[in-house]
Amino acid sequence: AQAYEQMIAPFLESWNLNCANPGVCEAHPEGKCYFFNDFEAEKIRLITLYGFETRFELDESDSTKLKYRRDIESWSQEQIDWLVNSLLNLPEGWGVMINQHYPFGTSTGESAFLSYATCSRSGELTIINDIVQAFMDGMNLVQQYTQIDIVTPILSVNCDFSQKKPGTEFIAFLSGHTHRDCIGWIEDYPKQ
């Protein structure tokens, strides 16, 4: 709640993410640090995920700061279900880009500028990549994922993208964190 109040709530109006039809439009679930924005002229939905859904606690030595583990990618069942629904409800002929702070794979090379770097997800939680792959392939995905030291230790995905709207497509992942430019693909998911 503190992260939401400090980093999301002040920008909701300027980002135009407040839903006109609460309960119908789920672009921004109230109080959550994940959302999407539709760019209608471009027919692109930009989904921003929040990959740090661990237990949040205030730091006892400084009540204005949170202590939490930033080194573990973690998701709530609620956010995973929201992502699946956001993809299922993508309008016909639209593309989707998915954004989060950490890259969606670990770089296999190191340099000041990585161009066309391959990335690997081996040994990492692959739930987001698996959902995107099922969306791209128009397939079903029924699987459980285990998270370590997280609020929700077991995540379940049960989605059917076989009826996705015509012309919908995954465009790219976007991320930060690396402090350098990287363009590439994920080795274990070569279509992504």
Side-chain angles (χ1 to χ4, degrees):
Q2 184 184 20
Y4 168 79
E5 289 299 328
Q6 289 179 347
M7 300 174 199
I8 302 295
F11 302 101
L12 285 178
E13 191 168 323
S14 64
W15 290 348
N16 196 28
L17 292 173
N18 283 315
C19 295
N21 302 311
V24 177
C25 168
E26 296 298 333
H28 177 256
E30 187 62 33
K32 304 298 179 183
C33 295
Y34 47 89
F35 56 89
F36 70 74
N37 195 11
D38 285 338
F39 296 90
E40 294 186 20
E42 294 83 4
K43 294 187 176 184
I44 293 174
R45 173 168 290 172
L46 174 62
I47 295 175
T48 297
L49 300 177
Y50 184 58
F52 302 110
E53 287 191 302
T54 56
R55 287 183 167 86
F56 290 103
E57 299 176 26
L58 288 175
D59 185 335
E60 294 86 1
S61 64
D62 182 350
S63 64
T64 65
K65 293 184 179 175
L66 290 167
K67 62 175 187 180
Y68 57 95
R69 295 189 64 172
R70 291 189 55 168
D71 59 336
I72 289 182
E73 177 181 271
S74 57
W75 310 97
S76 67
Q77 185 66 56
E78 181 182 23
Q79 183 174 184
I80 294 302
D81 294 342
W82 173 87
L83 170 62
V84 168
N85 287 329
S86 297
L87 291 170
L88 284 169
N89 293 316
L90 190 66
E92 183 175 331
W94 280 48
V96 65
M97 294 189 289
I98 300 177
N99 174 55
Q100 76 168 7
H101 176 75
Y102 276 143
F104 287 86
T106 304
S107 163
T108 57
E110 295 292 329
S111 70
F113 182 86
L114 292 176
S115 180
Y116 298 102
T118 61
C119 297
S120 173
R121 294 289 292 174
S122 298
E124 295 183 42
L125 187 66
T126 60
I127 189 168
I128 304 301
N129 297 96
D130 288 351
I131 290 169
V132 168
Q133 194 66 50
F135 171 78
M136 292 172 70
D137 295 340
M139 303 293 291
N140 294 338
L141 177 61
V142 179
Q143 191 163 330
Q144 287 192 330
Y145 299 82
T146 302
Q147 301 188 99
I148 301 170
D149 190 29
I150 307 298
V151 175
T152 310
I154 304 293
L155 295 170
S156 297
V157 179
N158 186 350
C159 57
D160 180 4
F161 290 114
S162 64
Q163 301 298 314
K164 72 176 187 169
K165 296 182 181 82
T168 57
E169 64 177 338
F170 172 73
I171 299 171
F173 287 117
L174 305 173
S175 67
H177 185 73
T178 61
H179 299 263
R180 64 179 177 237
D181 295 326
C182 295
I183 301 170
W185 65 93
I186 299 168
E187 197 170 63
D188 303 327
Y189 300 83
K191 293 184 190 176
Q192 295 180 20

